[in-house]
């Protein structure tokens, strides 16, 4: 199990007082805090190695290139991708999904084709496909959720056809914590020769991922949701697909030969990393992954399950509270309190030092489907403890008292 008290020592920000109270940071699905090791990696890089990569033959440039490329290998191993150059560094999941929409999508989606998403999607895994379908006169189909907040797999099977060219679904909902059966989703889609993109922005932070076992075609990651700096993230794509896709952004660092009128491009991964990338952030993301590996993804998952169950136990004692969480969901607990707007809930929680999120969580269609105006959300990570959950329950009691 996790030694949470030891882990907490690595996160100086957790010593902060908010409105005179200890900080209970329960907004991890938005972004996680960064351990000392990651912050130190940023500082070390800028103080000792800072230089542009891939272009120089001087020592600093070579060091920076080595560090940057070693981050690629670390992430490859962490996700068990077959090849390091199947990992393309991006700023985040949003950029990774847009990359696929503008390259794979532009090339392979045609009039009359169909793309399937689910009702659980974050806007990042919805809007790029809406826009692609508009450009290409293709159709966007949606897997609905059932009352238990899981995807309706029977309807999914019916939506699949020879017209399906891409299935793009989340590995874990940032709103309900629902973890769809992505293994089955991928297997079924492949029977129709459809490609599958898994939005791993939430899932990868909490679960051991084995890309070779999963066999998806694309997978996306946001480093900042797994202890890494903002501006770090990645797209995984199968080598043969990435090779066939045209570049996304054009410019320096991704060319073989350029004349006034024509350009030929390099191979993977540089073809998709035009311009100066987020070098320091990517190198520090490597430290975040090493830290997660030291702790162990299985331990992280167990710890979050414990906190999630405890939060549901404490919150469901209050009759005014409605919880939106499926059985076996991930470490996200969304809720409403009868008659109180979620922004008011978040504001009072903040008075008690509890950082939670409120609103539509970049998932407007899902919020509409749940027939509510918005939601309050607690989300957990490795440094959270039972005290955080109890502090949240205390804030909950005060919120109910103030409004009733
Ligand atoms: C499920 C899911 N997908 C995509 C995103 C977008 O991630 P980013 O803002 O890092 O691009 C988020 C962010 O909250 C998310 O939770």
């Amino acid at each position: 199990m996790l030694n949470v008290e030891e882990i907490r020592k690595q996160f100086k920000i957790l010593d902060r007082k908010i409105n005179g109270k200890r900080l209970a940071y329960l907004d991890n699905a938005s972004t996680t805090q960064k351990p000392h090791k990651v912050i130190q990696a940023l500082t070390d890089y800028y103080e000792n190695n800072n230089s542009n990569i891939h272009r120089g033959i001087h020592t600093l440039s070579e060091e920076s290139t080595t560090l940057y490329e070693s981050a690629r290998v670390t992430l490859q191993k962490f996700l068990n991708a077959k090849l390091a150059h199947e990992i393309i560094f991006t700023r985040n999941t949003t950029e990774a999904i847009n990359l696929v929409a503008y390259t794979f999508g532009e090339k392979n989606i045609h009039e009359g084709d169909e793309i399937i998403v689910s009702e659980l999607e974050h806007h990042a895994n919805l809007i790029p496909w809406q826009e692609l379908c508009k450009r290409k006169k293709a159709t966007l189909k949606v897997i609905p959720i059932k009352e238990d907040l899981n995807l309706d797999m029977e309807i999914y099977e019916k939506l699949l056809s020879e017209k399906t060219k891409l299935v793009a679904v989340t590995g874990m909902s940032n709103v309900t914590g629902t973890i769809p059966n992505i293994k089955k989703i991928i297997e079924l889609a492949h029977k129709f020769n459809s490609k599958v993109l898994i939005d791993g922005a939430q899932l990868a932070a909490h679960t051991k991922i084995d890309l070779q076992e999963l066999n998806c075609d694309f997978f996306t990651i946001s480093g900042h949701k797994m202890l890494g700096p903002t501006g770090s993230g990645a797209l995984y794509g199968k080598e043969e697909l990435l090779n066939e896709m045209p570049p996304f952004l054009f410019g320096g660092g991704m060319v073989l030969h350029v004349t006034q009128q024509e350009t030929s491009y390099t191979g993977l991964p540089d073809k998709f990393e035009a311009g100066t990338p987020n070098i320091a952030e990517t190198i520090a993301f490597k430290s975040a992954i090493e830290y997660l590996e030291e702790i162990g993804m299985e331990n992280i998952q167990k710890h979050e399950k414990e906190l999630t169950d405890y939060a549901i136990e404490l919150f469901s004692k209050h009759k005014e509270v409605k919880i939106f969480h499926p059985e076996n969901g991930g470490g996200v607990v969304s809720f409403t309190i009868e008659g109180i707007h979620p922004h008011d809930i978040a504001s009072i929680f903040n008075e008690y030092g509890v950082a939670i999120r409120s609103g539509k969580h970049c998932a407007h269609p899902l919020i509409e489907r749940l027939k509510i105006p918005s939601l309050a959300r607690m989300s957990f990570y490795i440094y959270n403890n039972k005290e955080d959950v109890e502090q949240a329950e205390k804030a909950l009691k005060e919120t109910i008292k103030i409004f009733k």
Side-chain angles (χ1 to χ4, degrees):
M1 288 310 285
L2 302 198
N3 186 344
V4 180
E5 289 324 301
E6 267 314 301
I7 288 173
R8 288 177 70 84
K9 288 184 193 156
Q10 304 303 314
F11 295 83
K12 188 167 175 293
I13 200 167
L14 298 178
D15 296 338
R16 271 202 65 178
K17 294 273 181 285
I18 304 289
N19 295 315
K21 310 284 185 324
R22 79 185 270 282
L23 166 63
Y25 184 79
L26 300 178
D27 192 19
N28 295 289
S30 292
T31 200
T32 59
Q33 298 302 340
K34 322 302 173 199
H36 176 71
K37 186 180 159 97
V38 168
I39 298 166
Q40 194 60 47
L42 281 172
T43 312
D44 277 353
Y45 171 73
Y46 281 125
E47 286 185 348
N48 298 305
N49 314 102
N50 179 48
S51 177
N52 214 331
I53 55 168
H54 293 155
R55 284 160 223 172
I57 17 177
H58 61 79
T59 301
L60 294 185
S61 180
E62 282 183 356
E63 284 173 4
S64 295
T65 304
T66 304
L67 287 167
Y68 183 81
E69 289 307 323
S70 75
R72 201 185 305 280
V73 175
T74 301
L75 187 53
Q76 174 213 347
K77 292 193 173 138
F78 181 70
L79 299 173
N80 195 27
K82 200 160 142 201
L83 303 160
H85 60 239
E86 291 179 319
I87 303 290
I88 309 297
F89 286 123
T90 60
R91 281 183 303 133
N92 48 38
T93 284
T94 303
E95 188 174 277
I97 295 176
N98 275 278
L99 189 162
V100 178
Y102 276 101
T103 58
F104 170 84
E106 283 299 323
K107 193 168 172 202
N108 297 293
I109 304 296
H110 306 289
E111 188 170 345
D113 287 345
E114 294 180 356
I115 296 175
I116 298 177
V117 294
S118 87
E119 223 165 23
L120 292 172
E121 301 316 316
H122 185 282
H123 294 162
N125 196 31
L126 173 63
I127 304 171
W129 309 122
Q130 284 177 351
E131 291 295 325
L132 178 66
C133 285
K134 276 189 215 154
R135 291 198 296 277
K136 296 291 182 164
K137 297 194 173 65
T139 306
L140 192 66
K141 300 255 167 164
V142 183
I143 315 167
I145 52 167
K146 299 185 292 184
E147 286 310 307
D148 66 5
L149 303 177
N150 285 306
L151 292 186
D152 191 326
M153 292 296 278
E154 278 178 29
I155 297 192
Y156 171 55
E157 286 199 49
K158 289 187 188 135
L159 291 178
L160 283 166
S161 77
E162 300 300 332
K163 289 184 188 168
T164 313
K165 294 292 176 284
L166 180 73
V167 176
V169 291
T170 186
M172 174 177 155
S173 162
N174 60 308
V175 179
T176 59
T178 304
I179 299 178
N181 186 346
I182 51 174
K183 181 90 182 121
K184 178 122 190 260
I185 288 172
I186 295 162
E187 276 170 15
L188 289 170
H190 282 169
K191 286 191 184 158
F192 290 88
N193 289 321
S194 169
K195 303 300 177 213
V196 184
L197 176 143
I198 301 297
D199 168 359
Q202 295 295 337
L203 187 71
H206 308 280
T207 311
K208 175 91 194 94
I209 304 292
D210 184 335
L211 287 175
Q212 292 186 65
E213 215 253 319
L214 209 50
N215 196 26
C216 57
D217 301 284
F218 300 106
F219 190 92
T220 63
I221 271 207
S222 289
H224 70 95
K225 291 185 195 291
M226 42 201 298
L227 309 180
T230 50
S232 63
L235 167 72
Y236 156 83
K238 281 186 182 160
E239 183 189 39
E240 64 271 22
L241 291 173
L242 293 176
N243 272 333
E244 283 169 12
M245 284 153 50
F248 177 34
L249 301 173
F250 297 84
M254 44 84 76
V255 299
L256 280 178
H257 187 66
V258 185
T259 67
Q260 276 307 340
Q261 303 296 334
E262 287 297 329
T263 299
S264 58
Y265 303 109
T266 55
L268 300 174
D270 299 354
K271 179 170 101 175
F272 292 111
E273 293 183 10
T276 302
N278 286 12
I279 305 169
E281 290 79 1
T282 301
I283 290 167
F285 181 28
K286 173 185 159 131
S287 295
I289 295 167
E290 287 168 350
Y291 188 67
L292 289 173
E293 279 178 327
E294 271 167 39
I295 295 170
M297 294 310 286
E298 282 86 4
N299 292 331
I300 292 172
Q301 208 174 355
K302 267 190 221 146
H303 174 68
E304 286 174 5
K305 169 109 181 76
E306 239 180 65
L307 291 181
T308 304
D309 289 349
Y310 189 48
I312 292 173
E313 183 196 323
L314 294 193
F315 273 53
S316 55
K317 280 195 221 146
H318 301 268
K319 64 178 185 332
E320 301 86 348
V321 173
K322 184 168 180 201
I323 293 170
F324 297 78
H325 188 86
E327 215 179 312
N328 295 322
V332 172
V333 178
S334 287
F335 64 97
T336 51
I337 309 177
E338 207 183 305
I340 311 177
H341 194 283
H343 287 333
D344 291 327
I345 301 173
S347 170
I348 297 169
F349 272 49
N350 188 52
E351 292 294 309
Y352 288 86
V354 185
I356 61 165
R357 188 141 294 239
S358 58
K360 296 182 195 286
H361 309 284
C362 297
H364 290 190
L366 175 58
I367 297 293
E368 212 159 281
R369 161 67 180 82
L370 296 173
K371 299 187 183 71
I372 39 169
S374 62
L375 273 172
R377 179 186 74 187
M378 297 182 282
S379 48
F380 305 105
Y381 214 36
I382 53 173
Y383 35 73
N384 290 124
N385 55 19
K386 288 199 164 176
E387 206 179 336
D388 290 335
V389 180
E390 285 155 11
Q391 196 173 328
E393 197 212 2
K394 183 162 184 276
L396 173 75
K397 284 181 186 158
E398 293 301 328
T399 310
I400 295 171
K401 203 156 62 181
I402 290 167
F403 276 85
K404 297 285 148 123

